[in-house]
Amino acid sequence: MKNHIINSFALLMLTAFILRAQNLELNSDCATNPPDFEQLSYQAANDAVNSESDLITVKKTKVICPEYIANLVKQLRRGHLSNDNKSIAIYFLGSFRPNDTDSIEILIENIDFRASRLDPKTDLTRWGKYPAEEALIKIGKPVVAPILDYLPNETNKLRRHLMGEVLRKVEGKEAAQNQIKQKITGEQDVARQTNLELVLKELEK
């Protein structure tokens, strides 16, 4: 009986070890590090994004881990990128249509970031004046609730306008207006109500 218990325990430990080894092997098959936009020239960053997009999205021969997106967000959050490299990093992040909180928040925080040039290295423009706004629109529905949470405290006219435009393009004008009206109804703070009413006014144009 004792030997049976020992053998069963040993088998259980061996199974756990094999499963852990398999998980490690699977995890090693996905990439965790995006291009280092802090160190690359724009030309090199552009080439890297084209190559990564081809492997990940088109050919589907490269699999990325969740850490890949997280590390891309960290580069944006550190704030060491040139204007052109920040534009392409934001575009690249949006191309994955991430729905995690950190990705959406960094894009909302940078919604009024203005690209100095419109995709200066390609004939087909990949982003316009406000690349983070376009990335949020590309992500779609997952950005609606976070933007509605941001708007009551947003005092910057441009940022309010851009957030309203994202809601309009993702939800449609009428649905966006109704959602903001619901937020106003449930809001007790006068200043926060005012910010929401200003967005609503913008959407009525």
Side-chain angles (χ1 to χ4, degrees), residues 64-111:
I64 61 171
C65 303
E67 291 87 351
Y68 188 100
I69 299 296
N71 287 329
L72 181 53
V73 170
K74 286 177 183 177
Q75 288 191 45
L76 286 165
R77 200 171 289 286
R78 282 195 294 267
H80 299 154
L81 303 180
S82 67
N83 186 288
D84 284 344
N85 278 18
K86 185 173 182 177
S87 297
I88 199 169
I90 288 173
Y91 158 78
F92 191 44
L93 178 61
S95 71
F96 294 112
R97 293 177 169 82
N99 58 12
D100 63 287
T101 301
D102 287 342
S103 295
I104 292 172
E105 282 188 354
I106 195 68
L107 291 171
I108 294 175
E109 288 169 15
N110 285 278
I111 196 167

Side-chain angles (χ1 to χ4, degrees), residues 8-9 12-13 26 29 35 37 41 47 70 88 92 104-105 109 127 135 139-140 160 175 182 188 200-201:
S8 297
F9 179 75
L12 181 63
M13 293 298 292
L26 286 172
D29 289 340
F37 294 107
S41 66
D47 292 343
I88 199 169
F92 191 44
I104 292 172
E105 282 188 354
E109 288 169 15
W127 61 81
I139 293 169
R160 280 199 309 261
Q182 288 177 6
Q188 302 299 317
L200 189 59
K201 188 175 180 180

Side-chain angles (χ1 to χ4, degrees), residues 185-201:
T185 301
E187 186 56 66
Q188 302 299 317
D189 184 87
V190 175
R192 286 164 59 91
Q193 279 183 343
T194 300
N195 289 331
L196 289 166
E197 286 166 355
L198 288 168
V199 182
L200 189 59
K201 188 175 180 180

Side-chain angles (χ1 to χ4, degrees), residues 144-156:
V144 172
I147 285 177
L148 288 170
D149 287 339
Y150 264 80
L151 279 173
N153 294 313
E154 187 54 70
T155 58
N156 182 279

